[in-house]
Amino acid sequence: MPSHHGKKSPHKKNNKTSLGLDKFVDSASDKLYKKKLDKISKNKKENKQQYFSYLKSIKRMGYNVEETIKERKEKRKNQEQQQHNATPFERAKKEYEKKQLEKQKEREEFEKAQKEKQDKKDKRNKKRAQLGTRNKKGQPVMSFQVNNILSKLKDEKKKK
């Protein structure tokens, strides 16, 4: 009987080798993929644990958690059914309304920014006009100058 000194017999083939799966399993991309899957599943488990610990703390505070969970599930099911049962026209209408709301929000933000700019500009013009006022002899009016210096000092104090 020939001795192989720890080598595998050439006549016996491993199932993986015969199918060519050893190359597939050992490739680097598969290893990375497996690592990512493990990481994702680990993150999901951690998130689940955090969620349940959160629910426990809420129960201790006296809130009824079961009802809120059931309400959420029912609400989600209703939304899914409505989306599934909606006709193409209804879907398009909802999408159009969404876009209109977004446009409205953008418009409101723009108008708010414009109003703030205009307020700053008016304030600056008023301040400039006050500081530019002169008395009969051509000297600056001291009350405006003193108020300006005091307001600057207050602003510096607030910043510190």
Side-chain angles (χ1 to χ4, degrees):
M1 188 166 181
S3 65
H4 296 288
H5 301 288
K7 294 182 183 178
K8 290 185 178 179
S9 160
H11 301 291
K12 289 185 179 180
K13 288 190 175 181
N14 192 355
N15 284 344
K16 288 183 183 177
T17 314
S18 64
L19 297 174
L21 293 177
D22 58 341
K23 294 176 184 174
F24 180 75
V25 172
D26 293 334
S27 70
S29 62
D30 291 334
K31 289 179 182 177
L32 289 173
Y33 179 71
K34 285 181 181 180
K35 283 182 182 178
K36 286 181 183 178
L37 283 179
D38 290 341
K39 191 174 185 180
I40 290 170
S41 63
K42 186 177 180 182
N43 288 341
K44 284 183 179 179
K45 287 178 185 175
E46 288 175 359
N47 289 342
K48 217 174 201 180
Q49 289 173 347
Q50 288 175 350
Y51 178 70
F52 284 118
S53 64
Y54 169 73
L55 290 179
K56 285 180 184 177
S57 63
I58 289 179
K59 280 184 180 178
R60 280 188 226 126
M61 294 170 78
Y63 293 103
N64 193 350
V65 179
E66 285 80 17
E67 288 181 13
T68 57
I69 292 173
K70 287 178 184 176
E71 288 173 5
R72 274 188 181 171
K73 286 181 180 178
E74 289 175 8
K75 189 175 181 181
R76 192 177 299 143
K77 283 181 183 178
N78 290 338
Q79 286 177 348
E80 289 174 359
Q81 284 179 346
Q82 287 176 355
Q83 288 177 353
H84 183 69
N85 295 337
T87 63
F89 175 74
E90 290 172 343
R91 287 188 212 129
K93 188 176 179 182
K94 284 182 182 179
E95 191 173 315
Y96 173 77
E97 290 172 354
K98 248 187 198 179
K99 286 181 182 178
Q100 290 299 321
L101 284 173
E102 289 175 8
K103 284 182 182 180
Q104 180 72 20
K105 287 179 183 178
E106 288 176 5
R107 226 180 282 126
E108 288 172 358
E109 290 173 4
F110 177 76
E111 289 173 359
K112 186 178 177 182
Q114 289 294 326
K115 186 178 179 187
E116 288 176 2
K117 284 181 184 178
Q118 188 63 37
D119 289 344
K120 285 183 180 180
K121 192 175 183 181
D122 292 342
K123 192 174 179 181
R124 201 168 40 243
N125 285 339
K126 183 179 176 185
K127 185 176 177 182
R128 187 176 49 80
Q130 283 181 343
L131 292 176
T133 55
R134 307 287 173 175
N135 61 15
K136 291 179 183 177
K137 295 184 179 180
Q139 299 296 317
V141 177
M142 289 310 293
S143 63
F144 294 138
Q145 301 293 334
V146 170
N147 287 337
N148 184 34
I149 293 170
L150 285 173
S151 65
K152 283 183 183 178
L153 291 172
K154 286 179 184 177
D155 290 340
E156 285 181 18
K157 192 174 185 179
K158 284 182 183 177
K159 287 181 183 177
K160 290 181 181 179

